[in-house]
Amino acid sequence: AKDEGRGVFRYFQSEMDARMKARRQLEMELRAALIMGEFELYYQPFVSTETNAVTGFEALLRWKHPQRGMVSPLEFIPLAEEIGLITPIGEWVLRKACAEAATWPIHMRVAVNLSAVQFRGHKLTPVVASALASAGLRPDRLELEITESVLLRDSQANITTLHQLRELGVRISMDDFGTGYSSLSYLRSFPFDKIKIDQSFVRDMAANSGDAAIVRAVTGLGASLGISTTAEGVETLAQLEQLRAEGCTEVQGYFLGRPMPSSDIPALLAARTD
Ligand code: C2E
Ligand code: CA
Ligand code: CA
Ligand code: CA
């Protein structure tokens, strides 16, 4: 029995070693990816419920891994945050997104996701300013999407940074609204330009009257605070119509368009003559 125990221990030991090795391997590949130019941005449109027009696109990071193919950001962003690599990756995203948006029709916005880690240090505001200036993009065409993790810890320093960013003229959106513990109190700590209603509420809106009530409350709150509301994860016409009826400002989701490479944007805009 004693030997058996040792065998089990050895088994776990080797399993842990394997996991550590896989992680170190991913870490090495992630560092190389930035240098090798393996990252790409896909763009997902958001559409006005009032005019049906595309008002902009959210930039979503993609890693085209030479062997493993397309790797989801959900798989590598947490590790990139842990090892601090999200800061240079995030800077690349900002510069690329601003440069590409500068080639779009003049009224179109680009939204960029920011990690809370990017708020550490004092570089975020100058990096955003520099990305806008090099691209020649008007600041009000850039939206920065943050989740409540930005306001969670060190929040006073981060709120100061948000105000600096706002002074540049960029717009600040609260992403994944309603998924955290105190989304409402965060609305009080910073005057957001936009609230993005998390897709989990949109998904079950038709079947679940509780979710429908939350969506209604959030769009109502946005309207009375003068904050626009975007519903994420809209997959059906029924959801779109319900959201329009509730007074939601914008919609985003597979029903309106999947994330696409920037080369597909001109065709999308040409096809939509609304
Ligand atoms: P997010 O910001 O909440 O982005 C929305 C996610 O939902 C995207 O996943 C998008 O492809 C997906 N989505 C859009 N419409 C639909 C729909 O109708 N149905 C369903 N089921 N899903 C939909 P994606 O691209 O895999 O990104 C996942 C997350 O990774 C993002 O969530 C964001 O938190 C993070 N992320 C992506 N790009 C960046 C980036 O450049 N920087 C940082 N820091 N995070 C990023
Ligand atoms: Ca987002
Ligand atoms: Ca979101
Ligand atoms: Ca999300």
Side-chain angles (χ1 to χ4, degrees), residues 27-230:
E27 186 176 328
M28 243 172 49
E29 291 177 353
L30 202 52
R31 290 184 194 282
L34 192 56
I35 299 161
M36 303 301 281
E38 291 166 10
F39 290 118
E40 217 172 285
L41 292 181
Y42 270 38
Y43 294 92
Q44 186 179 33
F46 28 87
V47 170
S48 158
T49 53
E50 200 190 320
T51 64
N52 276 327
V54 174
T55 52
F57 294 85
E58 177 177 0
L60 293 160
L61 186 58
R62 298 290 179 262
W63 179 9
K64 285 197 170 150
H65 189 284
Q67 284 89 42
R68 286 189 281 166
M70 202 73 103
V71 185
S72 158
L74 299 173
E75 273 179 62
F76 65 86
I77 285 178
L79 178 62
E81 288 177 327
E82 223 174 287
I83 62 179
L85 205 60
I86 195 66
T87 303
I89 294 175
E91 177 167 350
W92 177 85
V93 171
L94 273 163
R95 293 186 180 281
K96 181 83 171 170
C98 288
E100 290 193 315
T103 70
W104 302 345
I106 194 77
H107 56 276
M108 258 176 221
R109 297 201 176 102
V110 67
V112 169
N113 292 285
L114 293 182
S115 156
V117 177
Q118 291 175 266
F119 282 76
R120 287 187 202 147
H122 305 281
K123 277 194 61 198
L124 183 57
T125 311
V127 163
V128 170
S130 158
L132 288 165
S134 333
L137 190 74
R138 240 179 37 211
D140 64 350
R141 292 180 62 193
L142 176 63
E143 289 179 355
L144 299 174
E145 297 193 359
I146 64 158
T147 58
E148 63 174 44
S149 60
V150 168
L151 301 173
L152 215 57
R153 234 172 299 135
D154 255 344
S155 64
Q156 208 38 61
N158 290 355
I159 288 169
T160 302
T161 304
L162 287 174
H163 282 289
Q164 289 171 352
L165 290 166
R166 174 60 92 34
E167 271 161 41
L168 289 180
V170 306
R171 296 158 54 91
I172 311 288
S173 304
M174 165 112 271
D175 204 353
D176 298 347
F177 189 81
T179 56
Y181 289 107
S182 40
S183 296
L184 271 184
S185 74
Y186 293 124
L187 285 186
R188 205 173 47 182
S189 54
F190 187 77
F192 288 93
D193 297 287
K194 180 189 271 193
I195 296 170
K196 298 194 77 176
I197 304 171
D198 191 68
Q199 52 191 60
S200 58
F201 300 106
V202 174
R203 193 182 304 134
D204 301 322
M205 208 174 38
N208 183 326
S209 60
D211 285 348
I214 288 170
V215 169
R216 172 170 305 170
V218 175
T219 53
L221 185 68
S224 52
L225 292 173
I227 306 175
S228 68
T229 45
T230 300

